[in-house]
Amino acid sequence: MGNGTSRLYSALAKTLNSSAASQHREYLESPDPEHLEPIDPKELLEECRAVLHSRPPRFQRDFVDLKTDCPSSHPPIRVMQWNILAQALGEGKDNFAQCPVEALKWEERKCLILEEILAYQPDILCLQEVDHYFDTFQPLLSRLGYRGTFFPKPWSPCLDVEHNNGPDGCALFFLQNRFKLVHSTNIRLTAMALKTNQVAIVQTLECKESSQQLCVAVTHLKARSGWEQFRSAQGCDLLRNLQNLTQGAKIPLIVCGDFNAEPTEDVYKNFASSSLNLSSAYKLLSPDGQSEPPYTSWKIRTSGEYRHTLDYIWYSKHSLSVRAALDLLTEEQIGASRLPSFNYPSDHLSLVCDFSFNNEPDGLS
């Protein structure tokens, strides 16, 4: 193993102790990456695959081209949405009945997560259930050129698990060679006038190629059946905030999240009918362009099998176009034991879309 690869392996293997990781602030941005040694993403990907050599190969997923007319003068903006499964919850609370314990070991599972991110190389990365921000994602992704922000849940269920790594929360990363940060807001969502345990990060970015602004939000709404109206109230609170932060929908918007809600729920309908003119990107993969995928999460717990569509990438349909979307795993690929597995690190599938602005300024090509 060469010196460069050895340094990469050290970066990948290095973890902070749990006490250091749990000393978090509610709002933390990455340090200036100029003070960190850059990592070549291809070499890090190779190193991840070396760690995973005994596991089955990664599933093959293909991008579906959705818009071939009106070519853009700028590269598309690739956005990834993913609930990566908090390590403490996967090992201590989620009760995955068919997932081998060995498949959940962090030292290998983190490499599967990184492999997925590195394979698609998003410009903007929106994550939920992040409980290894400080010791894994922030230090490594910073060295890949990302700027990151983390906002933990106030009462994270991870803290109930013995030997936890701190609270889980939402994280938003963007590539600094493509964007500069204009404004950032952390939101603790309310419902029925009460502050809740769910959060959102909203950032306004400026594209360096075109000087156009883009507002990006990541959130994770309340889970479980019986909490539909609570989720709806959280969604309304987020929409009110987004209305202000986009200056009344003047700034194009992308909202990524695990909404914990099927398309039949009110929170979905409220987003689809809001004055922000939002549309769900993954509907475009359906034959009629109007139907969500049959699932974005599929797991077997001791309480039963659960197959649901819960994850979405919403976008301003008048300002943005979806140029391509990553197809979902088939039932055959997922397998009878469902998710997570030795092949796939989370019980939720990643969603990845390429966007372009519909109206690009003249003279900036």
Side-chain angles (χ1 to χ4, degrees), residues 203-239:
Q203 296 189 335
T204 300
L205 308 176
E206 183 178 302
C207 300
K208 291 187 175 180
E209 299 104 331
S210 68
S211 298
Q212 290 184 276
Q213 290 193 349
L214 176 68
C215 186
V216 182
V218 56
T219 194
H220 188 187
L221 302 187
K222 174 66 182 173
R224 294 190 175 85
S225 177
W227 291 84
E228 291 80 6
Q229 291 309 307
F230 195 84
R231 279 191 288 274
S232 178
Q234 289 181 327
C236 288
D237 181 45
L238 181 55
L239 286 169

Side-chain angles (χ1 to χ4, degrees), residues 60-184:
Q60 176 64 38
R61 297 170 67 184
D62 296 317
F63 279 92
V64 179
D65 290 330
L66 297 168
K67 191 175 179 67
T68 55
D69 58 334
C70 303
S72 171
S73 58
H74 301 289
I77 298 169
R78 177 161 292 180
V79 177
M80 174 183 262
Q81 147 61 31
W82 198 13
N83 178 331
I84 62 173
L85 176 62
Q87 184 65 19
L89 300 184
E91 289 187 310
K93 274 183 172 283
D94 276 341
N95 300 315
F96 295 118
Q98 299 294 320
C99 180
V101 175
E102 294 78 13
L104 295 172
K105 288 182 178 179
W106 179 242
E107 290 308 310
E108 292 187 7
R109 198 173 78 84
K110 72 178 178 183
C111 291
L112 269 180
I113 295 170
L114 289 167
E115 184 184 36
E116 183 93 345
I117 295 169
L118 290 163
Y120 301 121
Q121 299 183 38
D123 302 301
I124 298 169
L125 174 62
C126 296
L127 303 176
Q128 300 85 34
E129 290 200 21
V130 179
D131 65 345
H132 276 269
Y133 179 84
F134 299 101
D135 61 359
T136 301
F137 297 107
Q138 185 270 334
L140 284 174
L141 292 177
S142 291
R143 295 172 67 182
L144 291 169
Y146 289 92
R147 177 169 177 169
T149 302
F150 175 65
F151 193 28
K153 296 173 185 172
W155 312 300
S156 167
C158 292
L159 299 178
D160 298 332
V161 179
E162 191 177 4
H163 307 303
N164 69 77
N165 198 57
D168 77 301
C170 292
L172 196 160
F173 294 90
F174 64 86
L175 279 177
Q176 295 192 105
N177 64 358
R178 294 211 64 186
F179 304 98
K180 69 177 182 180
L181 181 64
V182 177
H183 184 265
S184 185

Side-chain angles (χ1 to χ4, degrees), residues 1-13 43-53 111:
M1 189 178 287
N3 289 337
T5 305
S6 298
R7 289 196 301 272
L8 287 173
Y9 185 82
S10 297
L12 189 60
E43 290 185 23
L44 183 58
L45 180 59
E46 289 175 4
E47 190 57 51
C48 286
R49 288 173 174 166
V51 173
L52 298 168
H53 71 277
C111 291

Side-chain angles (χ1 to χ4, degrees), residues 35 169 262 307:
H35 297 121
E262 293 274 6
R307 176 180 179 266

